[in-house]
């Protein structure tokens, strides 16, 4: 017997003993021995069409790992262990996946794998078999469902991109408002910023730059200067005009009160 094998000895049709690895002797024509491998068996579960709980038809393939732990039961209790495990595994996968939603099948496969393993292990214990692991390895979706899921994912990405862009615009607006307040309090800061921008643009030597250096500020200063001068000169000119008119009226003999009463600027 090899190290990974056990031998179930039948003496005149009855189970006599289980032989361990090594050199073992039997009685000719009386004892018969059947070897049982205790190594782990990898059994693929063929893909099958399953309708989920939300009425979506999908193809599911899986793989199961099991091994025999009781050589006597694996021979006496069932005729072919591997075929039995394969059939019950297909049925269990179909039942478990059919009771689940499509989103659960796609995202929560670990829970489904554990559920399938527990059901198989409970059934195969009476056959002397222990199920180590069951994994859903391939899920086939209809083309229409794949396109719908792709559109959903694209829409979700666009939504997140718009939200991130809006948050960036809000932060940028706040920073620009703070910068505007600083520049309003210190006008020379705008000139320094203009010089910095010019130094950054000057890296490209093959471009012509037209830069309006404080044109609007200079125009506003000129307008303020003209208005100030007009306000300063107007009272002086009006006083001079009044003096001239008073002298003319006095020479002509007309009372000043009449002149001032009729003059539009009085």
């Amino acid at each position: 017997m090899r190290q990974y094998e056990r031998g179930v000895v039948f003496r005149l049709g009855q189970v006599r003993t289980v032989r361990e690895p090594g050199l073992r002797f039997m009685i000719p024509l009386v004892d018969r021995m059947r070897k049982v491998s205790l190594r782990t068996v990898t059994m693929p579960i063929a893909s099958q069409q399953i309708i989920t709980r939300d009425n979506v038809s999908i193809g599911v393939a899986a793989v199961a790992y099991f091994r025999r732990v009781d050589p006597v039961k694996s021979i006496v209790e069932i005729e072919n262990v591997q075929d039995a495990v394969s059939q019950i595994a297909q049925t269990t996968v179909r039942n478990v996946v059919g009771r689940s939603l499509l989103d659960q099948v796609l995202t929560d496969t670990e829970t489904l794998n554990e559920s399938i393993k527990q059901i198989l292990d409970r059934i195969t214990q009476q056959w002397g078999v222990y199920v180590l692991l069951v994994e859903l390895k391939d899920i086939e979706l209809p083309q229409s469902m794949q396109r719908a899921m792709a559109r959903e994912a694209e829409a979700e990405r666009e939504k997140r991109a718009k939200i991130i862009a809006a948050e960036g615009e809000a932060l940028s607006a706040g920073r620009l408002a703070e910068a505007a307040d600083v520049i309003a309090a210190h006008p020379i800061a705008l000139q320094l910023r203009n010089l910095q921008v010019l130094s950054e643009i000057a890296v490209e030597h093959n471009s012509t730059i037209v830069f309006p250096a404080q044109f609007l500020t200079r125009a506003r200063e000129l307008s303020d200067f003209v208005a100030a001068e007009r306000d300063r000169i107007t009272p002086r000119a009006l006083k001079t005009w009044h003096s001239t008119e008073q002298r003319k009226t006095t020479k002509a003999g007309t009372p000043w009160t009449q002149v001032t009463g009729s003059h539009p600027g009085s």
Side-chain angles (χ1 to χ4, degrees):
M1 302 295 301
R2 295 183 178 88
Q3 182 64 38
Y4 57 85
E5 292 179 336
R6 299 294 183 271
V8 180
V9 177
F10 293 86
R11 178 167 295 176
L12 299 177
Q14 294 182 352
V15 176
R16 180 66 178 176
T17 183
V18 176
R19 298 296 179 88
E20 297 294 328
L23 182 61
R24 298 291 181 260
F25 297 95
M26 297 187 302
I27 302 175
L29 303 178
V30 176
D31 294 342
R32 296 185 60 185
M33 184 178 66
R34 290 188 58 180
K35 296 181 179 181
V36 177
S37 176
L38 302 184
R39 292 182 295 182
T40 300
V41 179
T42 302
M43 183 187 64
I45 302 174
S47 178
Q48 50 187 335
Q49 291 296 320
I50 303 173
I51 299 178
T52 60
R53 196 171 70 181
D54 49 355
N55 297 324
V56 179
S57 179
I58 59 176
V60 178
V63 61
Y65 300 87
F66 69 92
R67 64 185 180 89
R68 299 171 177 88
V69 294
D70 191 335
V72 176
K73 286 186 178 181
S74 64
I75 294 178
V76 176
E77 298 294 336
I78 193 167
E79 181 179 0
N80 192 320
V81 173
Q82 189 159 353
D83 289 346
V85 174
S86 176
Q87 294 298 323
I88 194 63
Q90 293 183 18
T91 304
T92 305
V93 169
R94 183 168 58 250
N95 294 336
V96 173
V97 175
R99 292 195 300 265
S100 305
L101 298 174
L102 178 61
D103 293 338
Q104 185 180 3
V105 175
L106 297 176
T107 60
D108 197 11
T109 55
E110 293 183 1
T111 303
L112 297 179
N113 295 336
E114 186 63 24
S115 300
I116 296 171
K117 175 186 175 301
Q118 291 179 0
I119 295 173
L120 287 178
D121 196 25
R122 186 171 60 253
I123 296 174
T124 57
Q125 279 182 357
Q126 57 186 342
W127 303 334
V129 174
Y130 173 68
V131 179
L132 282 74
L133 182 66
V134 178
E135 289 286 341
L136 300 178
K137 67 174 184 178
D138 188 16
I139 300 175
E140 298 179 1
L141 296 176
Q143 293 294 329
S144 59
M145 183 59 63
Q146 293 181 13
R147 290 192 295 268
M149 295 176 66
R151 290 195 300 268
E152 180 182 359
E154 184 178 358
E156 181 67 22
R157 292 288 182 178
E158 290 180 357
K159 182 187 74 173
R160 291 169 57 183
K162 290 180 180 179
I163 292 174
I164 294 174
E167 292 177 353
E169 290 293 336
L171 294 175
S172 176
R175 294 290 183 259
L176 289 176
E178 295 177 2
D181 294 338
V182 174
I183 292 175
H186 306 280
I188 195 63
L190 182 60
Q191 184 66 25
L192 295 176
R193 179 58 181 164
N194 292 337
L195 295 176
Q196 183 180 2
V197 172
L198 281 176
S199 65
E200 293 175 357
I201 299 176
V203 177
E204 299 293 336
H205 301 286
N206 57 350
S207 59
T208 302
I209 305 170
V210 179
F211 196 86
Q214 300 294 337
F215 176 76
L216 296 178
T217 303
R218 301 304 182 191
R220 183 168 58 252
E221 292 177 355
L222 179 61
S223 177
D224 295 341
F225 174 76
V226 172
E229 290 295 324
R230 184 173 62 250
D231 295 340
R232 185 174 61 84
I233 293 175
T234 300
R236 184 184 303 174
L238 183 60
K239 184 177 180 181
T240 303
W241 182 82
H242 281 310
S243 300
T244 304
E245 290 296 325
Q246 184 178 5
R247 288 195 300 270
K248 289 181 181 181
T249 306
T250 304
K251 291 179 181 181
T254 305
W256 169 248
T257 56
Q258 296 180 4
V259 175
T260 58
S262 60
H263 194 272
S266 59

